[in-house]
Amino acid sequence: MATQTKVGKPPNQARYGAASQVVTSLPPPANLMATGSSEPDVVVVCVTYNSSAVIEALLAALPSALESIATCRVVIVDNDSSDGTPAIVKQRAPWVRLIEAGSNSGYAGGINIALRNGLGSRGVYILNPDAVPSPGSVVRLLDAVESAPGVGIAVPAVLAVDGTLKFSLRREPTIMRAVGEALLGGHRAARFPKLGDMIRNPAYYCDGATADWATGAAMLVSRATIDAIGEWDERFWLYSEETDYALRLADAGSRLCLVMSAEVRHPGGSMSTSPYLWSLVAINRTRLYRKRHSLVPSLFYWLVVLGNEAVRSLLGRPTHRAAVKALLKVGPNPPAELSTPALM
């Protein structure tokens, strides 16, 4: 799933705070196309929010990751960071097209801002700011969406910082899977395809493996898919936006596939420790289910998610307590205009 990095005052803010300070720029991709010219083959899109501690690693990795792509462009949409992220991007990577949103429009909203400012003629590679792509990985993903019939999104293998594989493929949410995860826990439920969203069988992770959706740290979306499906749903301010987009892809008759020879290293966010982010996950899970189902099944789904959070809140976990409060306030039919749990 997609993340927005939330950090405190960055250790490198002092390095970039003074306008007179000389800072060495990172080299641009050799195939970079100037802004304002015709469409490049691939546009790399990244949405940042207080990402100063991680964005340099991504920027430094892009030239080698984009090798063998004829032409490219890099677009960063900054969601009103307060930690100096835009200054770092401007000084370290002046070749990036930086769009300062002026407010925090959410992850889906940031992606849409980037898409409205230009697409790749062959595809768009969407990356979290803390994802570091491997050399030559973009062309492998692009080959996958162009060579395999019916593939609209290609995702790389997601690795932890230590290089171990992270289980990034997922199944469509169902009431049965929500019940399975509530009773067994996510990891145990994953052993049974009908009871768990996550695909945790290492043997399944091979080139060409398909899934209903995948965590959104890195996704290459073909131009044909963007033209057919359109923009991302901004009601999913953060979390479940990639699930919604992948399921809409399936609705259109295409599929998502895994490319193991392309990799990203991704440490992951602070969802499991942040009551605010955990509440967002819970709300958007129910919002996604309601979007795709009628009210009565959505009520059952909401009750299962609420019960799961309530039981775990009895153990004194603040993340689950916050989720219970948020779910009770939005109910099983979250209003369309509510994009964040600001009412919590």
Side-chain angles (χ1 to χ4, degrees), residues 27-66:
N31 44 9
L32 189 73
M33 179 177 282
T35 300
S37 55
S38 59
E39 286 184 341
D41 287 290
V42 173
V43 171
V44 176
V45 168
C46 178
V47 179
T48 56
Y49 176 73
N50 288 350
S51 305
S52 63
V54 296
I55 192 62
E56 285 191 67
L58 168 61
L59 294 171
L62 285 177
S64 61
L66 286 160

Side-chain angles (χ1 to χ4, degrees), residues 282-302:
I283 290 174
N284 280 344
R285 285 182 68 191
T286 60
R287 173 179 281 112
L288 175 69
Y289 194 88
R290 178 66 183 99
K291 179 180 177 179
R292 300 180 62 82
H293 299 86
S294 61
L295 182 57
V296 172
S298 298
L299 173 61
F300 281 103
Y301 189 87
W302 176 81

Side-chain angles (χ1 to χ4, degrees), residues 213-236:
W213 63 282
T215 55
M219 307 179 82
L220 192 141
V221 186
S222 72
R223 175 60 182 269
T225 294
I226 296 172
D227 290 342
I229 297 178
E231 295 190 339
W232 292 53
D233 190 337
E234 295 183 19
R235 287 175 293 178
F236 302 101

Side-chain angles (χ1 to χ4, degrees), residues 167-190:
F167 297 116
S168 57
L169 301 181
R170 300 288 188 271
R171 304 180 183 97
E172 182 174 0
T174 65
I175 293 175
M176 184 63 71
R177 287 175 181 143
V179 170
E181 293 184 358
L183 296 177
L184 302 176
H187 288 186
R188 284 190 291 270

Side-chain angles (χ1 to χ4, degrees), residues 205-220:
Y205 287 75
C206 60
D207 272 329
T210 61
D212 295 327
W213 63 282
T215 55
M219 307 179 82
L220 192 141

